[in-house]
Amino acid sequence: MAITGGSADAEEASQNGLLKAYRSLDRFAPGAAFRPWLLRIVVNEAHNVVRSAKRHERLGARAREQHDAAIAGPEDAVVAREEVETILSALRRLPEADRLAVALRYFAELSDSGAAALAGTSKEAYRVRLLRARRRLKTMLEEADD
């Protein structure tokens, strides 16, 4: 929790770290100290969680700034801010892979090929992920309107 600043993030980092350690047991050197090896993996995951949260915050702030700049009057700005907050809230509820697909396309404005390379997947798999992410996002936004 000292690294992440929050218990939910610390729990996520711990779970991710334990899962990665389990998947990497075949690379653990026999006779080496297990505890430092495991703790290093969990600490690295905690840093990853913090970096991911900061990245999402920056993307959200950038989206708000770009959207606010395009608004004419103060009333429009309030409505637009609420719309942006609704969309960002829905984005935060998407699975990590879906958020990444949406962020690479709409925030980073990458091509399918570039986004797929960064996501570590094929172009076709990226397109499918993005399509499913948009459908999930649409459903969430429609539910928010009700």
Side-chain angles (χ1 to χ4, degrees), residues 106-126:
Y106 296 105
F107 294 114
E109 299 176 351
L110 295 177
S111 66
D112 288 346
S113 300
L118 281 175
T121 187
S122 70
K123 189 164 121 176
E124 295 75 21
Y126 169 76

mmCIF file of all heavy atoms in Angstrom, residues 106-126:
data_model
loop_
_atom_site.group_PDB
_atom_site.id
_atom_site.type_symbol
_atom_site.label_atom_id
_atom_site.label_comp_id
_atom_site.label_asym_id
_atom_site.label_seq_id
_atom_site.Cartn_x
_atom_site.Cartn_y
_atom_site.Cartn_z
ATOM 1 N N TYR A 106 -8.473 6.276 -29.619
ATOM 2 C CA TYR A 106 -9.121 7.582 -29.514
ATOM 3 C C TYR A 106 -8.317 8.639 -28.765
ATOM 4 O O TYR A 106 -8.503 9.823 -29.008
ATOM 5 C CB TYR A 106 -10.500 7.420 -28.885
ATOM 6 C CG TYR A 106 -11.390 6.586 -29.768
ATOM 7 C CD1 TYR A 106 -11.685 5.279 -29.443
ATOM 8 C CD2 TYR A 106 -11.886 7.103 -30.962
ATOM 9 C CE1 TYR A 106 -12.473 4.501 -30.267
ATOM 10 C CE2 TYR A 106 -12.666 6.330 -31.799
ATOM 11 C CZ TYR A 106 -12.958 5.027 -31.448
ATOM 12 O OH TYR A 106 -13.735 4.263 -32.283
ATOM 13 N N PHE A 107 -7.443 8.233 -27.865
ATOM 14 C CA PHE A 107 -6.632 9.214 -27.151
ATOM 15 C C PHE A 107 -5.262 9.359 -27.801
ATOM 16 O O PHE A 107 -4.799 10.463 -28.036
ATOM 17 C CB PHE A 107 -6.487 8.854 -25.672
ATOM 18 C CG PHE A 107 -7.782 8.921 -24.919
ATOM 19 C CD1 PHE A 107 -8.354 7.778 -24.396
ATOM 20 C CD2 PHE A 107 -8.432 10.120 -24.731
ATOM 21 C CE1 PHE A 107 -9.549 7.834 -23.715
ATOM 22 C CE2 PHE A 107 -9.629 10.190 -24.049
ATOM 23 C CZ PHE A 107 -10.190 9.040 -23.529
ATOM 24 N N ALA A 108 -4.624 8.237 -28.087
ATOM 25 C CA ALA A 108 -3.305 8.284 -28.719
ATOM 26 C C ALA A 108 -3.403 8.427 -30.233
ATOM 27 O O ALA A 108 -2.420 8.738 -30.890
ATOM 28 C CB ALA A 108 -2.511 7.034 -28.364
ATOM 29 N N GLU A 109 -4.603 8.170 -30.783
ATOM 30 C CA GLU A 109 -4.873 8.302 -32.214
ATOM 31 C C GLU A 109 -3.924 7.471 -33.073
ATOM 32 O O GLU A 109 -3.413 7.927 -34.096
ATOM 33 C CB GLU A 109 -4.848 9.778 -32.625
ATOM 34 C CG GLU A 109 -5.884 10.609 -31.909
ATOM 35 C CD GLU A 109 -5.819 12.095 -32.236
ATOM 36 O OE1 GLU A 109 -4.851 12.528 -32.912
ATOM 37 O OE2 GLU A 109 -6.723 12.814 -31.810
ATOM 38 N N LEU A 110 -3.697 6.234 -32.641
ATOM 39 C CA LEU A 110 -2.823 5.334 -33.392
ATOM 40 C C LEU A 110 -3.613 4.577 -34.446
ATOM 41 O O LEU A 110 -4.817 4.360 -34.306
ATOM 42 C CB LEU A 110 -2.163 4.334 -32.444
ATOM 43 C CG LEU A 110 -1.204 4.907 -31.412
ATOM 44 C CD1 LEU A 110 -0.702 3.804 -30.502
ATOM 45 C CD2 LEU A 110 -0.034 5.599 -32.086
ATOM 46 N N SER A 111 -2.901 4.135 -35.462
ATOM 47 C CA SER A 111 -3.512 3.266 -36.468
ATOM 48 C C SER A 111 -3.735 1.886 -35.855
ATOM 49 O O SER A 111 -3.187 1.579 -34.791
ATOM 50 C CB SER A 111 -2.579 3.139 -37.675
ATOM 51 O OG SER A 111 -1.395 2.444 -37.283
ATOM 52 N N ASP A 112 -4.514 1.058 -36.531
ATOM 53 C CA ASP A 112 -4.735 -0.302 -36.035
ATOM 54 C C ASP A 112 -3.411 -1.053 -35.897
ATOM 55 O O ASP A 112 -3.194 -1.761 -34.917
ATOM 56 C CB ASP A 112 -5.670 -1.080 -36.971
ATOM 57 C CG ASP A 112 -7.105 -0.601 -36.887
ATOM 58 O OD1 ASP A 112 -7.440 0.135 -35.945
ATOM 59 O OD2 ASP A 112 -7.899 -0.969 -37.775
ATOM 60 N N SER A 113 -2.538 -0.893 -36.873
ATOM 61 C CA SER A 113 -1.248 -1.584 -36.829
ATOM 62 C C SER A 113 -0.402 -1.118 -35.648
ATOM 63 O O SER A 113 0.173 -1.932 -34.917
ATOM 64 C CB SER A 113 -0.466 -1.356 -38.123
ATOM 65 O OG SER A 113 -1.197 -1.833 -39.224
ATOM 66 N N GLY A 114 -0.330 0.196 -35.451
ATOM 67 C CA GLY A 114 0.456 0.736 -34.349
ATOM 68 C C GLY A 114 -0.115 0.362 -32.993
ATOM 69 O O GLY A 114 0.616 0.004 -32.069
ATOM 70 N N ALA A 115 -1.444 0.427 -32.883
ATOM 71 C CA ALA A 115 -2.093 0.070 -31.623
ATOM 72 C C ALA A 115 -1.904 -1.411 -31.323
ATOM 73 O O ALA A 115 -1.637 -1.794 -30.179
ATOM 74 C CB ALA A 115 -3.579 0.420 -31.686
ATOM 75 N N ALA A 116 -2.034 -2.247 -32.340
ATOM 76 C CA ALA A 116 -1.863 -3.687 -32.153
ATOM 77 C C ALA A 116 -0.443 -4.002 -31.690
ATOM 78 O O ALA A 116 -0.244 -4.838 -30.803
ATOM 79 C CB ALA A 116 -2.182 -4.428 -33.449
ATOM 80 N N ALA A 117 0.533 -3.322 -32.279
ATOM 81 C CA ALA A 117 1.922 -3.556 -31.888
ATOM 82 C C ALA A 117 2.140 -3.182 -30.419
ATOM 83 O O ALA A 117 2.775 -3.930 -29.668
ATOM 84 C CB ALA A 117 2.864 -2.755 -32.787
ATOM 85 N N LEU A 118 1.590 -2.054 -29.990
ATOM 86 C CA LEU A 118 1.742 -1.643 -28.591
ATOM 87 C C LEU A 118 0.976 -2.555 -27.641
ATOM 88 O O LEU A 118 1.409 -2.791 -26.517
ATOM 89 C CB LEU A 118 1.266 -0.208 -28.404
ATOM 90 C CG LEU A 118 2.246 0.861 -28.855
ATOM 91 C CD1 LEU A 118 1.620 2.237 -28.741
ATOM 92 C CD2 LEU A 118 3.508 0.811 -28.029
ATOM 93 N N ALA A 119 -0.166 -3.074 -28.097
ATOM 94 C CA ALA A 119 -0.969 -3.967 -27.256
ATOM 95 C C ALA A 119 -0.401 -5.389 -27.256
ATOM 96 O O ALA A 119 -0.842 -6.224 -26.473
ATOM 97 C CB ALA A 119 -2.415 -3.974 -27.729
ATOM 98 N N GLY A 120 0.549 -5.648 -28.147
ATOM 99 C CA GLY A 120 1.168 -6.976 -28.198
ATOM 100 C C GLY A 120 0.257 -8.024 -28.802
ATOM 101 O O GLY A 120 0.242 -9.168 -28.361
ATOM 102 N N THR A 121 -0.503 -7.629 -29.818
ATOM 103 C CA THR A 121 -1.443 -8.551 -30.445
ATOM 104 C C THR A 121 -1.454 -8.330 -31.947
ATOM 105 O O THR A 121 -0.815 -7.404 -32.450
ATOM 106 C CB THR A 121 -2.856 -8.355 -29.832
ATOM 107 O OG1 THR A 121 -3.716 -9.344 -30.332
ATOM 108 C CG2 THR A 121 -3.414 -6.996 -30.147
ATOM 109 N N SER A 122 -2.183 -9.155 -32.659
ATOM 110 C CA SER A 122 -2.287 -8.973 -34.106
ATOM 111 C C SER A 122 -3.257 -7.837 -34.416
ATOM 112 O O SER A 122 -4.069 -7.446 -33.572
ATOM 113 C CB SER A 122 -2.781 -10.262 -34.772
ATOM 114 O OG SER A 122 -4.140 -10.493 -34.433
ATOM 115 N N LYS A 123 -3.171 -7.339 -35.629
ATOM 116 C CA LYS A 123 -4.055 -6.257 -36.044
ATOM 117 C C LYS A 123 -5.516 -6.700 -35.985
ATOM 118 O O LYS A 123 -6.387 -5.954 -35.533
ATOM 119 C CB LYS A 123 -3.680 -5.815 -37.464
ATOM 120 C CG LYS A 123 -4.359 -4.565 -37.935
ATOM 121 C CD LYS A 123 -3.626 -4.025 -39.146
ATOM 122 C CE LYS A 123 -4.520 -3.940 -40.335
ATOM 123 N NZ LYS A 123 -3.873 -3.337 -41.502
ATOM 124 N N GLU A 124 -5.777 -7.922 -36.407
ATOM 125 C CA GLU A 124 -7.143 -8.448 -36.395
ATOM 126 C C GLU A 124 -7.671 -8.593 -34.973
ATOM 127 O O GLU A 124 -8.814 -8.241 -34.681
ATOM 128 C CB GLU A 124 -7.213 -9.796 -37.128
ATOM 129 C CG GLU A 124 -6.918 -9.722 -38.617
ATOM 130 C CD GLU A 124 -5.439 -9.546 -38.959
ATOM 131 O OE1 GLU A 124 -4.562 -9.866 -38.112
ATOM 132 O OE2 GLU A 124 -5.166 -9.052 -40.068
ATOM 133 N N ALA A 125 -6.838 -9.104 -34.084
ATOM 134 C CA ALA A 125 -7.250 -9.266 -32.691
ATOM 135 C C ALA A 125 -7.505 -7.902 -32.051
ATOM 136 O O ALA A 125 -8.447 -7.740 -31.268
ATOM 137 C CB ALA A 125 -6.195 -10.034 -31.903
ATOM 138 N N TYR A 126 -6.688 -6.919 -32.394
ATOM 139 C CA TYR A 126 -6.893 -5.568 -31.869
ATOM 140 C C TYR A 126 -8.230 -5.014 -32.344
ATOM 141 O O TYR A 126 -8.978 -4.420 -31.571
ATOM 142 C CB TYR A 126 -5.754 -4.634 -32.284
ATOM 143 C CG TYR A 126 -6.070 -3.196 -31.978
ATOM 144 C CD1 TYR A 126 -6.000 -2.708 -30.675
ATOM 145 C CD2 TYR A 126 -6.505 -2.333 -32.973
ATOM 146 C CE1 TYR A 126 -6.337 -1.404 -30.378
ATOM 147 C CE2 TYR A 126 -6.840 -1.020 -32.682
ATOM 148 C CZ TYR A 126 -6.760 -0.565 -31.391
ATOM 149 O OH TYR A 126 -7.110 0.726 -31.103
#
